[in-house]
Amino acid sequence: FGTGQGWMADYSTVIGERRQLTLADGSVVDLNTDSAIDVRFDAGQRLIRLVRGEILIRSGVDAAGRPLRVASEQGIMEPLGTRFSVRQLDGVTHLAVLEGRVRATPENATPQIIEAGKQVSFGAAAFGPLRPASEQDTGWTQGMLVAENLPLRDFLHELTRYRPGRLHCDESAADLRISGGFQLDNSDAILAALPTTLPVTVSYRTRYWVTVSKA
């Protein structure tokens, strides 16, 4: 499956970078932080391979009528006129459909059509449960990390995707809850603001080695 890491991918982003592309068929692809795709258009199909990371796609209408397919490590997704996001996790693909429908076909399982407003994770052999999808989950395309009563452990895990180095959440603070919209382009400011809203301390061994613990 390509290079596995995406160093030779057609399009990629580094940690903290986001990028928007318009493909030859008019499809618009947003790449999130630390993501990579390969694009292969031929006479039979329009294929986007997600090598790593996360993308948001607004599918274009192809004059030649070729199907658009997105391939992850676990299977193939075929949009039926739509806007949707795909995230490659370790051993799992996460699909969220915001408009239209997407036919998802795991490598070793029966296809399932995911409707607008739903999201699902799947492995090569099975789907997880359907859950509601939210526009908040694509806030990253606007440079925002949106949290709604999120455990601090999960919030900081998401934030680590956008800054280099080690960001550790001590167990003492892991279950504290956080809500709000945060500007991804200044992760240092996000960390600096945490003690003003939560009973935590933010300790820097270096700029790239940070620990958040309960005050």
Side-chain angles (χ1 to χ4, degrees):
F1 186 86
T3 64
Q5 293 300 314
W7 309 125
M8 302 296 290
D10 294 335
Y11 304 100
S12 62
T13 55
V14 298
I15 291 174
E17 179 188 11
R18 299 180 307 279
R19 182 179 181 187
Q20 185 177 87
L21 310 167
T22 301
L23 303 182
D25 66 336
S27 294
V28 177
V29 182
D30 286 278
L31 280 76
N32 203 351
T33 176
D34 192 22
S35 300
I37 60 171
D38 284 324
V39 179
R40 296 287 180 270
F41 285 13
D42 58 31
Q45 67 175 351
R46 300 167 289 155
L47 179 65
I48 299 170
R49 287 188 176 273
L50 178 58
V51 180
R52 71 170 190 272
E54 181 176 22
I55 54 176
L56 175 72
I57 300 174
R58 187 166 67 245
S59 59
V61 178
D62 186 49
R66 297 168 298 177
L68 175 64
R69 297 187 172 108
V70 178
S72 70
E73 289 181 4
Q74 284 68 47
I76 300 286
M77 286 142 284
E78 190 171 332
L80 309 168
T82 188
R83 189 165 63 93
F84 64 106
S85 66
V86 182
R87 182 172 173 182
Q88 182 67 68
L89 299 167
D90 187 17
V92 175
T93 297
H94 183 74
L95 166 67
V97 182
L98 302 166
E99 297 174 11
R101 299 180 301 157
V102 174
R103 181 189 295 110
T105 308
E107 212 170 90
N108 302 307
T110 303
Q112 188 170 323
I113 291 180
I114 311 302
E115 304 283 347
K118 299 294 183 182
Q119 59 181 325
V120 69
S121 295
F122 63 89
F127 286 95
L130 277 176
R131 294 180 289 119
S134 168
E135 288 283 354
Q136 290 184 350
D137 297 333
T138 60
W140 57 266
T141 62
Q142 308 299 319
M144 297 291 292
L145 175 58
V146 180
E148 189 172 330
N149 198 33
L150 198 63
L152 186 59
R153 174 200 294 110
D154 296 346
F155 176 79
L156 293 177
H157 180 71
E158 279 298 296
L159 190 58
T160 58
R161 300 173 64 199
Y162 299 92
R163 60 178 284 131
R166 183 178 186 271
L167 176 55
H168 175 67
C169 183
D170 188 79
E171 278 301 313
S172 63
D175 293 327
L176 295 173
R177 298 280 172 161
I178 188 169
S179 297
F182 303 86
Q183 290 284 346
L184 284 171
D185 290 333
N186 195 342
S187 59
D188 286 331
I190 295 175
L191 293 174
L194 284 180
T196 68
T197 56
L198 293 173
V200 297
T201 57
V202 181
S203 306
Y204 288 81
R205 181 175 293 188
T206 70
R207 182 176 183 272
Y208 300 107
W209 190 324
V210 184
T211 300
V212 180
S213 51
K214 196 166 184 180

